[in-house]
Amino acid sequence: MSTTAKATRAKTITRDKRSAHKTSAMKKQPKAKAPAAPELREIHREYHKWHSPRLEREMELLVFGHSGTKVLMFPTAGGTFYQYEDLRIIDRLRDKIADGHLQVYCLDSIDGESFYCWWAEPRGRIERHMKYEQYVLEEVFPLMEYKNPGTPVISFGCSLGAYHATNIALRHPHLFCKLCSFSGRFDLTTHMNGFRDLFDGYYDQDIYYHTPAHFIPNLRDHDILEAMRRMDIQIVIGRDDAFYRHNVDFSTSLRRKGIPHNLHTWNEEAHRGYYWRRMTSAYV
């Protein structure tokens, strides 16, 4: 082999060794680990079930937390007492619950026996709803007061749950310090962008007094109005939501009565869990 060939072969071998060394070094480098998800803080959780004498059926609810301002959560149409846990909305309040600032009560729904019970006469639907309100006021409220006496109450709901939260808070404003209504509807008697009249044209005095969009404009009672004015009212609606115009009109009714409140308009429809979680973080 010539001297030139030997030199060329030596250079090639040296390059190959360097290349192999670099490859080996690259293989030995540890892979970057993805950041670990933050651990969820432990919170007190209770399950309750009893036979309701008002509703004449078993009712269930969940309680999260040990102290603090009470939050009464009404589920969406036909939702369950564990819906907001499944939607991870409870997780958005977990730190406040763990620190003793909030205590959450998640209610069950009977909408399938009231507003969405199509085989029942409309009068029967409103009567069943009124029994549900009695259950909340005369059975759930005493439990809340027993477990956590003397603390204020926030009324909270999404979609039809926002109707329930708004209706009970404005009918009994002395019982609540705050209202959080997300993607709500405050009049169940009209057809609204594809959503039907839940009473099929039937109307009576009880429906009037359970329709915030109807009774607020005509309200004259000074004490009730003053109690409403002391409440922190947060109304949130998506710009593309079917109930957007309805929320704007309801806000106008509140303003004309001198009832302070905030109407927050979000982009898009914002009518599902993804948005409700973020609303909860922002406004509860």
Side-chain angles (χ1 to χ4, degrees):
M1 182 181 296
S2 66
T3 303
T4 303
K6 287 180 180 180
T8 301
R9 183 170 179 274
K11 288 179 181 180
T12 302
I13 291 172
T14 301
R15 279 199 304 268
D16 288 344
K17 286 182 178 179
R18 288 174 180 171
S19 177
H21 175 73
K22 288 180 181 179
T23 302
S24 176
M26 290 175 62
K27 287 180 179 179
K28 291 179 181 178
Q29 291 177 356
K31 293 182 179 179
K33 293 183 179 179
E39 290 187 11
L40 295 177
R41 296 177 67 183
E42 290 291 330
I43 56 175
H44 180 75
R45 180 184 188 274
E46 289 181 11
Y47 167 77
H48 291 264
K49 179 179 180 179
W50 69 86
H51 182 84
S52 165
R54 279 83 181 170
L55 295 172
E56 299 181 316
R57 57 162 284 184
E58 298 289 311
M59 292 296 290
E60 300 167 279
L61 62 79
L62 287 174
V63 182
F64 296 92
H66 58 281
S67 66
T69 299
K70 298 182 282 277
V71 185
L72 188 62
M73 289 192 164
F74 294 87
T76 65
T80 65
F81 63 96
Y82 51 83
Q83 181 183 38
Y84 289 128
E85 186 177 35
D86 285 352
L87 288 174
R88 305 196 307 281
I89 285 174
I90 297 299
D91 287 343
R92 291 304 179 109
L93 301 174
R94 186 171 290 270
D95 286 343
K96 292 180 180 179
I97 294 171
D99 291 336
H101 299 311
L102 294 178
Q103 185 183 51
V104 179
Y105 293 76
C106 292
L107 299 174
D108 213 347
S109 163
I110 65 160
D111 296 325
E113 301 171 18
S114 57
F115 300 134
Y116 287 92
C117 187
W118 307 124
W119 58 264
E121 291 295 325
R123 177 62 201 168
R125 298 174 204 166
I126 188 63
E127 286 178 349
R128 191 62 175 160
H129 164 70
M130 291 164 64
K131 291 288 186 183
Y132 181 68
E133 183 184 74
Q134 290 176 16
Y135 154 75
V136 174
L137 295 175
E138 298 172 17
E139 298 181 42
V140 176
F141 260 80
L143 172 68
M144 294 164 65
E145 184 62 19
Y146 171 77
K147 292 187 62 61
N148 189 359
T151 53
V153 182
I154 298 170
S155 190
F156 172 102
C158 304
S159 196
L160 190 66
Y163 160 80
H164 286 291
T166 302
N167 186 58
I168 198 168
L170 297 184
R171 281 172 48 79
H172 307 278
H174 60 289
L175 296 177
F176 297 92
C177 67
K178 183 173 182 176
L179 165 64
C180 295
S181 167
F182 301 163
S183 311
R185 177 186 182 185
F186 315 113
D187 181 357
L188 308 182
T189 69
T190 60
H191 294 276
M192 195 178 300
N193 297 320
F195 290 85
R196 62 181 287 177
D197 167 7
L198 299 185
F199 297 105
D200 298 324
Y202 176 80
Y203 195 79
D204 65 15
Q205 183 171 297
D206 286 326
I207 292 176
Y208 169 83
Y209 283 112
H210 285 269
T211 304
H214 293 185
F215 70 72
I216 287 293
N218 301 317
L219 193 58
R220 299 288 185 272
D221 188 292
H222 176 267
D223 292 340
I224 293 177
L225 284 169
E226 283 303 304
M228 290 181 183
R229 289 165 185 153
R230 290 191 293 269
M231 217 187 308
D232 177 3
I233 300 176
Q234 305 293 328
I235 300 172
V236 192
I237 191 71
R239 192 176 302 279
D240 297 331
D241 195 299
F243 306 142
Y244 171 72
R245 187 71 250 169
H246 177 59
N247 275 250
V248 172
D249 292 343
F250 186 63
S251 172
T252 300
S253 295
L254 293 174
R255 187 173 66 252
R256 286 174 177 168
K257 287 295 176 182
I259 301 171
H261 65 285
N262 292 304
L263 175 65
H264 306 277
T265 300
W266 283 39
N267 292 328
E268 304 178 25
E269 185 183 36
H271 197 126
R272 55 190 173 90
Y274 172 85
Y275 296 97
W276 295 334
R277 286 191 289 274
R278 284 150 182 78
M279 293 174 189
T280 298
S281 297
Y283 306 118
V284 177

